[in-house]
């Protein structure tokens, strides 16, 4: 793969979730760090009563989506690598809520698919969570911006009969 020395930062952040891709200079050229997370506290009105064996559907959705994200990365000729225990993604979560996060390094990351990866990641995560918690509620297409998606999710938190 051709070197891409112009990797940018891509962010999709709201009070419910975040997905951020940024250059990972410590690992060299063409490497980015992919950070994603769900605010378990904010998803609770949507996931309440849907927990199986103590597994929160938002957390389980993030974990399941991570596998699909890895497949997406590989399909675009890049290499995902798990990162453990680092602070590569600090600054996107607050301590006033319970967050669950996932972090990957992506080697051979050309910038051409990174914005598509953000949209795929957010849409896929929501599809998993909504399918398990609110069957029949679809992820808006095209994916709205972070603020509009937050408004959509807040409306689901307030919906009677959820």
């Amino acid at each position: 793969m051709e070197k891409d020395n112009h990797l940018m930062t891509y962010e999709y952040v709201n009070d419910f979730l975040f997905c951020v891709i940024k250059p990972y200079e410590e690992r060299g050229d063409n490497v980015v760090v992919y950070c994603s997370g769900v605010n378990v506290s904010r998803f609770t009105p949507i996931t309440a009563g849907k927990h199986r064996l103590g597994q929160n559907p938002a957390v389980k959705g993030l974990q399941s989506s991570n596998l699909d994200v890895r497949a997406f990365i590989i399909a675009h000729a890049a290499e995902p690598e798990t990162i453990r225990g680092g602070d590569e993604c600090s600054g996107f979560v607050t301590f006033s809520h319970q967050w669950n996060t996932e972090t990957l390094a992506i080697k051979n990351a050309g910038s051409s698919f990174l914005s598509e990866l953000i949209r795929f990641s957010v849409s896929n995560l929501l599809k998993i969570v909504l399918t398990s918690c609110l069957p029949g509620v679809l992820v808006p297409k095209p994916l709205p911006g972070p603020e509009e998606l937050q408004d959509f999710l807040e409306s689901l938190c307030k919906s009677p009969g959820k």
Side-chain angles (χ1 to χ4, degrees):
M1 172 176 255
E2 184 177 316
K3 286 193 174 202
D4 187 346
N5 293 321
H6 302 289
L7 295 174
M8 298 172 39
T9 297
Y10 299 87
E11 294 186 8
Y12 193 103
V13 180
N14 65 33
D15 291 345
F16 284 83
L17 55 85
F18 71 88
C19 184
V20 175
I21 300 171
K22 60 185 183 176
Y24 197 9
E25 283 114 15
E26 299 84 21
R27 297 271 181 112
D29 291 338
N30 286 357
V31 181
V32 295
V33 61
Y34 164 89
C35 311
S36 61
V38 292
N39 182 332
V40 178
S41 303
R42 288 300 306 247
F43 270 100
T44 296
I46 295 171
T47 64
K50 314 291 191 307
H51 299 204
R52 263 189 13 200
L53 305 171
Q55 291 283 336
N56 182 295
V59 173
K60 196 70 174 157
L62 182 65
Q63 293 167 345
S64 296
S65 183
N66 186 307
L67 297 174
D68 295 334
V69 165
R70 288 171 181 271
F72 186 91
I73 292 166
I74 292 167
H76 286 83
E79 302 171 42
E81 178 185 306
T82 301
I83 301 173
R84 300 242 185 255
D87 63 351
E88 293 82 9
C89 299
S90 63
F92 295 103
V93 299
T94 63
F95 293 106
S96 62
H97 295 276
Q98 180 185 356
W99 285 85
N100 192 277
T101 61
E102 296 280 338
T103 308
L104 297 171
I106 304 173
K107 298 177 183 178
N108 299 321
S111 61
S112 60
F113 85 99
L114 296 179
S115 63
E116 186 180 347
L117 176 58
I118 291 275
R119 288 188 301 277
F120 172 80
S121 175
V122 172
S123 295
N124 191 58
L125 166 65
L126 288 176
K127 181 179 77 172
I128 292 168
V129 173
L130 294 179
T131 298
S132 67
C133 296
L134 300 173
V137 175
L138 302 175
V139 178
K141 289 186 182 177
L143 182 68
E147 297 82 19
E148 293 86 7
L149 182 65
Q150 179 168 316
D151 291 343
F152 170 74
L153 293 172
E154 285 173 345
S155 74
L156 295 179
C157 290
K158 297 173 188 173
S159 295
K162 55 179 175 22

